[in-house]
Amino acid sequence: MDRKTLLQKPLLLLVDDEPNNLRVLAEALRFDYEIAIATSGAGALQFLENDTLPDLILLDVMMPGMDGYEVCQTLKQHQEWNRIPIIFVTAATDSASEQRGFEMGAVDYIHKPFDRAVVLARIRSHLSVHGMMDRLSYTASRLDASIAQEMEHVSTASKTLNPQMLLMDAVFDQAMEGITVTDGEGCIRAVNPAFTRITGYAPEDVVDKDQDTLRQSLKRSEFSAEVWERVRKTGHWQGELINRRHNGETYPELRTIHAVSNPAEGVTHYVSVFSDISATKQKQSTIDFLTWYDALTALPNRLLMLERLETAMQMCQTSQLTSAVMILDIDRFKAINESMGLEVGDRVLRAFADRLSQLMCNGETIARIDGDKFAVLLPPSHASKTQKANRALEVATELQEAMARSLTIENQDISLSVTVGITLLPGTTSELAADALRNAETAHHKAKLEQAGSIVFFSERMGLDAMERFYTAQALRHAVGNGELRIYLQSQCDTDGKLVGAETLLRWEHPDRGLVSPTTFIPLAESTGFITTLDRWVIDQMLEMIHQHQGELGDLRFAINISADHFAREDFVSHLITGLHHHRLSGHHLTLELTESVMVQELRLLVSKLRALAGLGIEVSIDDFGTGYSSLSYLQHLPIQELKIDRSFTQDIGGNQSGRAIVSMIHNMAAELNLRTVVEGVETEEQWQYLKHYPNTVVQGYYFSKPQPMDVWLATNLNGKSRARHSA
């Protein structure tokens, strides 16, 4: 028995000169298929010469030496290899490349980067069709043998096949495929039960009727003159037809027709075997749609946007036209998902896409490219870049105004704001579609950093900034392991000047750049999903310090900033519990500073986490109070201990009545709720003297102490040294 019969999974041959592409494909396919690999066109041909033939080949187009087109052409000219289905794998999205591949005999294209679900679906679909054709041929060959054997027992005088004898054949009677048997003249002598089930025609509708009669009365494709001319000329025909049932319904089918002959008499019969492939075609249609369109919104996806963008860029570069591409997203969409649920989030996205489509009706391409991020491509036109920039700004403004009108989802009115990044075309002559889209995304990112709801254009400077962010993000991921992070502490005092604790601040000391500003790397860590790692590193360092100095700390508390993403994690509390148990500590030296953005979480879950922290002795402070998602109704339900007034309000205390009024209002509200107030950014004597009048208030700022490295702060403030920074 050969290797093929031992395999329970279909064998796929992956041909690509890039190891990373092979790894990604192999990882995606290895659970469902047996995998063989060739790293060149020549290697693929050598595999076919020396090993088991694969069930399907995934073939990269661009390879050194023998490229994919040449390999495909060689396979299709080989008698034993020409029936192996070939799917081209390519990063190109232009229709000319695809047309060339299909003309050479490829059955499909898969585009890079790979979508695992689409890749698996396409492979399954083509293996299914290929397997159907193999089964049809196998059934036909068995019937050929049955008819030939039957003819040996037919009397020489009659030379006629008895249909009743054929009906007794198990292959004929039990086959899932439809079967018709004609005599040498093409007159139908027998049909099996599957024929009637698939077509709706009873045996008496077709048996003993000739081809011309059936062609005129039934209008079925297998009786066409073109098919039978090929059958009589070559002895066989196979392929795909669109056929008609008895009720007039059309359907696709795979069909093979073979001539049955013997040396003495020549062709005596024809056997036609066919399968209804409607379900397979429907699956293929769905796969084709998902390749180019977004399943949720039915808008073009990123791949189709890139193809149309490539066409637009070629037009701009060759015909002196201009265009623009915009990236936009829904501001704070994550808050909608977290507070109202994913199902409502999906409905908001669909409503957003519908409204976007209604606005764009002048040849624009709209695509959903990722999450709540959408792209709009303006059609190329004979306009200057200044005119096109003005038009893009008009469109972006119209979009923002339209999206500001509230959506009603589950009896709730939801108002949306939109942030937009724009890049103009053409850019540089060497720019690709992916580069243009990346430029628009860079502009969009810049807009998000400036202010939600902004509109920002891309510039060359922004491109350089994007590369700088990329390299900084890479370096930041190595900073923890390389020991480049530092803990700084800034003292906090009560209104009598007594030291009550410190805020924990993270600093990054890069070996080449020196101290990197937190305003640079903290937002970067948040946008790249690295912020939780930094948060946990700070927590672990502080727990270790508290463990080593717990006998000297007294009632001091250390405030640690916690990101909203970190707090939202299911294992947030359990990570703290693990750390406290490891160091054999309670949490009474810790205060966690949370921004108001955590309030968008579902209230029950939020309260549950805060109560769990309180049970550990950990206090919670709402940081930058008054600058974010202020919700007074939430405050009365949350088990928190303090409000921290943002430094922007502190700066307005000196001689500014409105600034003093805001600080006074927040302090009085906190007092009513039995909460402590922390005022940060205290830098002057005037600010300090004003704040001394407020009881149960903690102050922090350069007036008392600049942030210091943790070891310096500990040496200054512990070991019996004075903790009183100022007298009352």
Side-chain angles (χ1 to χ4, degrees):
M1 184 178 292
D2 64 12
R3 176 173 175 263
K4 184 77 172 183
T5 59
L6 291 173
L7 293 176
Q8 295 186 357
K9 296 188 287 188
L11 174 63
L12 305 185
L13 175 60
L14 313 183
V15 187
D16 199 313
D17 64 308
E18 288 289 339
N20 188 56
N21 291 340
L22 289 172
R23 180 186 61 78
V24 172
L25 276 174
E27 283 296 315
L29 302 172
R30 63 189 180 91
F31 294 108
D32 300 288
Y33 301 101
E34 189 83 7
I35 301 298
I37 288 174
T39 57
S40 66
L45 298 182
Q46 184 177 2
F47 177 88
L48 296 174
E49 287 279 5
N50 300 329
D51 214 312
T52 302
L53 295 185
D55 295 285
L56 184 142
I57 298 175
L58 290 176
L59 180 60
D60 185 34
V61 174
M62 303 301 294
M63 295 185 294
M66 179 182 286
D67 65 15
Y69 295 128
E70 188 177 351
V71 174
C72 181
Q73 190 172 33
T74 302
L75 295 179
K76 293 306 174 184
Q77 293 173 350
H78 194 284
Q79 186 174 359
E80 294 183 10
W81 303 342
N82 59 16
R83 293 189 67 250
I84 302 173
I86 297 172
I87 298 179
F88 274 130
V89 178
T90 179
T93 58
D94 60 291
S95 56
S97 298
E98 293 192 6
Q99 183 64 30
R100 181 183 178 190
F102 287 131
E103 288 174 354
M104 288 185 169
V107 296
D108 209 343
Y109 266 79
I110 291 174
H111 296 278
K112 305 173 186 176
F114 306 115
D115 183 320
R116 183 178 184 276
V118 172
V119 171
L120 288 172
R122 287 194 176 280
I123 290 173
R124 281 195 296 266
S125 177
H126 289 295
L127 286 177
S128 175
V129 171
H130 187 62
M132 283 183 184
M133 187 57 77
D134 284 345
R135 288 196 302 274
L136 292 181
S137 298
Y138 177 67
T139 302
S141 66
R142 293 183 66 189
L143 280 172
D144 290 351
S146 296
I147 292 173
Q149 185 177 11
E150 177 66 21
M151 291 300 294
E152 291 179 2
H153 297 87
V154 173
S155 65
T156 305
S158 67
K159 295 185 181 291
T160 302
L161 177 68
N162 182 351
Q164 296 303 317
M165 294 298 295
L166 185 58
L167 289 172
M168 298 296 292
D169 189 288
V171 175
F172 186 83
D173 187 53
Q174 299 174 15
M176 296 297 294
E177 299 84 8
I179 301 172
T180 61
V181 179
T182 75
D183 59 23
E185 300 302 320
C187 182
I188 293 182
R189 293 305 180 189
V191 296
N192 73 337
F195 172 91
T196 300
R197 175 176 53 79
I198 295 172
T199 68
Y201 288 103
E204 55 267 25
D205 294 328
V206 295
V207 171
D208 294 332
K209 295 181 180 178
D210 59 48
Q211 297 284 339
D212 291 337
T213 301
L214 294 172
R215 185 182 306 118
Q216 295 174 10
S217 61
L218 303 188
K219 309 296 184 184
R220 285 183 57 82
S221 302
E222 75 267 28
F223 303 128
S224 69
E226 293 82 3
V227 170
W228 280 92
E229 181 180 354
R230 177 69 179 271
V231 172
R232 291 190 172 99
K233 183 177 180 180
T234 65
H236 69 275
W237 181 92
Q238 69 177 29
E240 187 176 315
L241 297 172
I242 300 297
N243 233 324
R244 189 182 300 274
R245 306 188 206 276
H246 186 271
N247 62 7
E249 177 189 1
T250 59
Y251 70 98
E253 67 176 27
L254 280 181
R255 182 177 288 268
T256 180
I257 304 174
H258 287 272
V260 181
S261 60
N262 63 56
E265 303 171 71
V267 175
T268 60
H269 295 85
Y270 294 97
V271 176
S272 181
V273 184
F274 65 96
S275 285
D276 180 351
I277 58 170
S278 299
T280 301
K281 283 291 184 181
Q282 182 59 46
K283 291 178 183 177
Q284 185 65 47
S285 177
T286 301
I287 295 168
D288 290 341
F289 178 83
L290 293 177
T291 299
W292 300 103
Y293 291 87
D294 173 57
L296 179 66
T297 63
L299 291 176
N301 60 15
R302 189 184 192 95
L303 188 62
L304 184 52
M305 168 56 77
L306 284 171
E307 183 179 73
R308 294 183 181 177
L309 180 55
E310 186 69 42
T311 301
M313 292 176 66
Q314 290 174 1
M315 293 174 64
C316 290
Q317 291 169 355
T318 59
S319 304
Q320 296 184 334
L321 305 179
T322 59
S323 180
V325 60
M326 299 186 288
I327 297 293
L328 57 148
D329 76 341
I330 303 171
D331 297 326
R332 293 181 288 275
F333 178 71
K334 185 177 181 182
I336 296 175
N337 262 345
E338 292 178 343
S339 61
M340 304 180 70
L342 296 178
E343 184 177 348
V344 172
D346 285 348
R347 292 178 63 182
V348 169
L349 288 175
R350 283 193 292 267
F352 183 90
D354 290 343
R355 188 171 289 184
L356 197 59
S357 299
Q358 292 168 7
L359 288 168
M360 301 289 100
C361 54
N362 296 312
E364 299 91 348
T365 293
I366 309 162
R368 181 188 178 208
I369 58 174
D370 182 32
D372 66 318
K373 190 180 293 184
F374 293 78
V376 176
L377 173 63
L378 302 185
S381 63
H382 291 284
S384 68
K385 276 199 170 183
T386 300
Q387 292 171 325
K388 185 62 70 173
N390 290 338
R391 175 56 186 156
L393 188 57
E394 289 175 7
V395 172
T397 304
E398 290 171 3
L399 289 174
Q400 290 185 326
E401 292 174 351
M403 296 306 171
R405 297 195 300 271
S406 61
L407 300 171
T408 302
I409 306 290
E410 291 193 350
N411 299 321
Q412 296 190 57
D413 290 336
I414 302 175
S415 296
L416 304 178
S417 64
V418 176
T419 299
V420 185
I422 305 171
T423 189
L424 300 177
L425 305 175
T428 63
T429 55
S430 60
E431 191 175 57
L432 301 175
D435 299 323
L437 195 62
R438 190 180 304 112
N439 291 345
E441 289 177 320
T442 299
H444 173 263
H445 180 71
K446 176 70 171 177
K448 298 290 280 189
L449 291 178
E450 287 187 0
Q451 183 180 354
S454 299
I455 300 172
V456 171
F457 282 82
F458 176 80
S459 67
E460 184 177 357
R461 177 68 252 172
M462 289 173 61
L464 296 174
D465 289 344
M467 294 303 296
E468 173 66 18
R469 285 197 305 273
F470 173 79
Y471 289 124
T472 301
Q474 293 293 98
L476 181 58
R477 290 187 176 275
H478 293 99
V480 175
N482 292 344
E484 298 169 12
L485 300 182
R486 305 285 183 266
I487 297 292
Y488 276 57
L489 297 175
Q490 186 175 29
S491 297
Q492 295 178 331
C493 302
D494 62 17
T495 51
D496 294 325
K498 178 184 176 183
L499 184 69
V500 295
E503 180 179 5
T504 305
L505 303 170
L506 181 62
R507 298 292 183 263
W508 177 17
E509 190 173 333
H510 190 275
D512 299 321
R513 306 179 188 180
L515 279 176
V516 181
S517 171
T519 59
T520 297
F521 74 83
I522 294 298
L524 190 61
E526 290 175 336
S527 65
T528 58
F530 195 61
I531 191 66
T532 295
T533 300
L534 296 185
D535 277 2
R536 293 191 170 183
W537 183 86
V538 172
I539 290 171
D540 292 344
Q541 296 298 307
M542 291 304 295
L543 291 178
E544 177 63 27
M545 183 276 290
I546 293 170
H547 172 71
Q548 293 180 3
H549 297 276
Q550 56 184 319
E552 309 165 62
L553 297 178
D555 296 328
L556 295 181
R557 303 192 72 93
F558 297 91
I560 301 175
N561 290 281
I562 301 296
S563 69
D565 285 348
H566 184 195
F567 184 78
R569 287 178 61 110
E570 291 184 1
D571 64 346
F572 173 74
V573 175
S574 63
H575 178 79
L576 283 167
I577 293 173
T578 300
L580 290 171
H581 286 176
H582 176 73
H583 292 93
R584 299 182 179 180
L585 298 172
S586 70
H588 71 275
H589 287 298
L590 293 180
T591 297
L592 301 186
E593 293 189 359
L594 308 174
T595 62
E596 292 174 272
S597 59
V598 302
M599 294 185 185
V600 301
Q601 294 189 32
E602 198 272 321
L603 181 60
R604 180 187 56 81
L605 182 61
L606 178 60
V607 170
S608 174
K609 286 185 178 180
L610 294 179
R611 285 177 176 168
L613 295 176
L616 298 171
I618 299 174
E619 293 191 349
V620 173
S621 173
I622 300 300
D623 195 12
D624 300 334
F625 184 77
T627 64
Y629 297 82
S630 300
S631 175
L632 302 184
S633 62
Y634 263 47
L635 281 182
Q636 62 183 336
H637 297 295
L638 299 181
I640 61 175
Q641 288 71 44
E642 72 178 30
L643 298 180
K644 190 168 188 179
I645 300 176
D646 186 68
R647 66 177 61 249
S648 61
F649 301 130
T650 310
Q651 292 171 356
D652 292 336
I653 288 177
N656 189 318
Q657 292 300 320
S658 62
R660 293 187 176 188
I662 292 174
V663 171
S664 177
M665 178 186 66
I666 295 175
H667 178 273
N668 292 337
M669 180 187 64
E672 288 295 323
L673 295 172
N674 198 29
L675 301 177
R676 184 170 60 249
T677 304
V678 177
V679 184
E680 64 177 343
V682 179
E683 299 178 354
T684 67
E685 175 72 21
E686 182 180 10
Q687 293 168 345
W688 161 240
Q689 290 299 328
Y690 176 77
L691 293 170
K692 286 172 66 175
H693 296 93
Y694 290 99
N696 198 27
T697 296
V698 174
V699 290
Q700 171 186 342
Y702 277 34
Y703 183 71
F704 301 95
S705 172
K706 293 182 178 181
Q708 297 175 304
M710 183 165 64
D711 56 347
V712 175
W713 189 94
L714 292 171
T716 303
N717 293 283
L718 301 187
N719 301 319
K721 294 191 177 183
S722 172
R723 293 188 191 164
R725 310 301 297 159
H726 287 266
S727 59

